Amino acid sequence: MNLEPMQKAAVLIEALPYIQRFNRKIVVVKYGGSAWWTRSLKRR
């Protein structure tokens, strides 16, 4: 994806509230397949 500088700025301005909201948070992104969980994974 090749965006012009003004398009990049618009995307970043739109994303800024989300970036601020989730700053220093753990975010899980599921990519295809099924989710899995083991006891060795501990919640913080």
Side-chain angles (χ1 to χ4, degrees):
M1 183 187 302
N2 209 0
L3 299 177
E4 296 295 320
M6 291 300 290
Q7 291 173 311
K8 288 181 185 180
V11 169
L12 291 173
I13 288 169
E14 185 178 341
L16 185 59
Y18 298 98
I19 294 168
Q20 291 173 327
R21 180 176 178 188
F22 295 106
N23 184 31
R24 299 188 185 269
K25 302 281 194 256
I26 295 173
V27 177
V28 177
V29 177
K30 183 183 176 301
Y31 179 77
S34 59
W36 56 270
W37 178 263
T38 66
R39 292 186 186 270
S40 63
L41 297 174
K42 298 178 182 175
R43 292 183 78 177
R44 292 182 180 195

